[in-house]
Amino acid sequence: MSPAASEIPHRDPAERWQALGVLAIAMLLGMTGWFSATAVIPQLRELWGLSAAAAAWLTIAVQIGFVAGALMAAVFNIADRLPPRHLMCYGASLAALANALLLFEPPLALAVLLRAMTGLGLAGVYPPAMKAMATWFKVKRGTALGIMVGALTIGSATPHLVNGLGGLDWRLVIAASSLMSLAGGLIARYLGRDGPFDFPRAVFDPGKAWQVFADRPVRLACIGYFGHMWELYAMWAWFGVFLADVLSRNAAQLPAALSAVTTFAAIGMGALGCWVGGVLGDRWGRARATSLAMIVSGSCALIIGLIPGSAWPLILLVGLIWGFWVVADSAQFSTAITELGDQRYIGTALTLQVAIGYVVTIPTLWLIPIVHEALGWAWAFGLLALGPLVGTIAMQNLGAIESDRARAQGSR
């Protein structure tokens, strides 16, 4: 651990929670372009005559654009050479513009390109927001970053609530989300402030992007994050489909919207989980807190598909527990990077970690329906437990390294 990261002050500045509120709101608004097309895909399919596969590209393109933007930012050290709040403003503005152009009802190929450009812009919002917040906290950094990811989790859950309540006109959703993205960037730039624990400005060094993994503790924290991401987005994407399938076959008397509203509740529970994960991370350490979250979420992945459909209330309960813990550890991996990494290139490290993490989501997003069709939900969701297993092993190794360092320092 670098000296700058190990010299923990006795307390964070008094205005830290106000800064947290501003940045959390800015990130939540700035990222709304990610969720907008998800909420209106049923309408776009009907309006534009899209097949299910074609409509899926409106979501996949955002992932691809986000990864491309994050990798570009990492290679060119953009997140460490530009002030993070400025970068949030530029990224949110690009995302807002690309999202708003969908209102002109472009051909599918152009619409997919615009969604990719939206993701590219959002790569300038999420990692810089985490870095900006880290400048305000050291003692409670895990809790603060947990609240930031909790805000993002609420945004991810909202389309399910919109669909469950009957949806909104797609033009209104696209226009409103574009305005909110722009507002988020402007709030970050002009209402946000940098904290006292600023990171040193980096010089351009493309090699630093890949040297992130040369340090073993940082590498282990990244592997833990990759295991977490193997599970997270597949759970978020397919839990609603699974639940609708179970309820349609076993609880026909219930309204069809129940699955969408319950999916919103399950994913939304993760916001509370992020806060709890942050508190535990600050008290117990990142390795212990993340291991607990992955053990519980991985266990839910293993058992939920084995529960008989007739016991659907139990499935709902396990789903809420799963949604709580599946994202509770997310911010703690980023927090570990800010504490363990080269302080000059924290933005690069965070961006590269997130970029590869989102690449890891693609195989499970693709495999779940294939495995479900061939073997059933138990095998499909059981596949997700592999990620938490690998992630827990990595974080336990990281915990052993940190314990050895603590004992060595105590013996001096």
Side-chain angles (χ1 to χ4, degrees):
M1 184 181 298
S2 67
S6 61
E7 295 173 0
I8 305 296
H10 291 297
R11 59 182 177 181
D12 296 325
E15 61 268 41
R16 64 196 182 279
W17 297 114
Q18 179 181 354
L20 171 63
V22 171
L23 279 172
I25 290 171
M27 185 176 74
L28 176 59
L29 293 175
M31 295 293 289
T32 51
W34 191 305
F35 320 124
S36 59
T38 303
V40 297
I41 276 179
Q43 295 181 55
L44 294 182
R45 283 191 63 183
E46 182 177 352
L47 178 68
W48 294 353
L50 303 179
S51 66
W57 275 104
L58 294 176
T59 297
I60 294 171
V62 183
Q63 302 269 113
I64 294 173
F66 183 91
V67 170
L71 287 175
M72 187 184 346
V75 169
F76 292 99
N77 313 132
I78 293 173
D80 294 303
R81 296 167 61 208
L82 292 177
R85 291 184 298 103
H86 293 203
L87 189 53
M88 288 178 67
C89 185
Y90 304 147
S93 298
L94 173 61
L97 175 61
N99 192 57
L101 290 175
L102 291 175
L103 293 171
F104 292 96
E105 302 184 27
L108 177 62
L110 182 54
V112 169
L113 178 60
L114 289 174
R115 294 304 291 159
M117 291 300 296
T118 300
L120 186 74
L122 294 178
V125 177
Y126 178 39
M130 304 297 276
K131 181 182 178 182
M133 181 46 59
T135 67
W136 283 99
F137 290 83
K138 281 196 174 180
V139 177
K140 296 292 184 182
R141 183 175 288 180
T143 302
L145 296 186
I147 292 172
M148 292 283 283
V149 175
L152 186 63
T153 301
I154 291 293
S156 299
T158 299
H160 296 283
L161 180 63
V162 171
N163 289 332
L165 297 178
L168 296 171
D169 181 78
W170 74 274
R171 296 173 183 81
L172 176 62
V173 172
I174 294 297
S177 61
S178 297
L179 289 173
M180 286 190 288
S181 289
L182 179 60
L186 294 175
I187 288 171
R189 172 67 178 86
Y190 295 105
L191 298 184
R193 292 187 296 128
D194 296 327
F197 309 124
D198 200 6
F199 297 94
R201 188 68 58 86
V203 297
F204 176 58
D205 185 353
K208 284 297 181 182
W210 310 112
Q211 289 177 21
V212 164
F213 301 113
D215 184 75
R216 187 163 182 255
V218 172
R219 185 167 66 249
L220 289 171
C222 286
I223 292 172
Y225 179 72
F226 302 154
H228 152 80
M229 291 294 280
W230 173 269
E231 177 191 25
L232 176 63
Y233 271 81
M235 184 273 180
W236 279 1
W238 291 107
F239 178 76
V241 178
F242 159 71
L243 193 59
D245 183 33
V246 169
L247 293 179
S248 66
R249 289 186 288 107
N250 297 278
Q253 73 278 12
L254 296 175
L258 177 63
S259 62
V261 175
T262 303
T263 300
F264 165 76
I267 296 176
M269 281 288 289
L272 179 60
C274 288
W275 172 69
V276 171
V279 172
L280 295 179
D282 288 333
R283 292 181 180 176
W284 294 356
R286 313 302 164 203
R288 186 179 174 189
T290 55
S291 295
L292 171 64
M294 286 188 286
I295 289 169
V296 176
S297 67
S299 298
C300 290
L302 284 174
I303 68 173
I304 196 166
L306 297 172
I307 301 172
S310 58
W312 59 264
L314 180 58
I315 291 176
L316 298 184
L317 176 60
V318 174
L320 292 173
I321 295 171
W322 193 10
F324 181 97
W325 286 106
V326 73
V327 73
D329 50 351
S330 190
Q332 302 316 299
F333 300 109
S334 299
T335 306
I337 294 297
T338 68
E339 295 169 341
L340 299 169
D342 184 336
Q343 299 295 289
R344 296 170 299 166
Y345 294 95
I346 290 300
T348 295
L350 286 172
T351 305
L352 186 61
Q353 180 195 49
V354 169
I356 297 177
Y358 275 88
V359 171
V360 171
T361 67
I362 295 174
T364 47
L365 286 169
W366 175 68
L367 283 171
I368 289 295
I370 296 174
V371 177
H372 162 244
E373 184 174 347
L375 301 170
W377 285 113
W379 285 96
F381 283 152
L383 176 69
L384 299 184
L386 294 175
L389 174 62
V390 172
T392 299
I393 292 171
M395 296 307 289
Q396 286 297 296
N397 286 332
L398 176 59
I401 292 173
E402 292 181 327
S403 296
D404 290 342
R405 287 181 175 180
R407 283 193 294 269
Q409 291 176 353
S411 64
R412 291 176 183 174

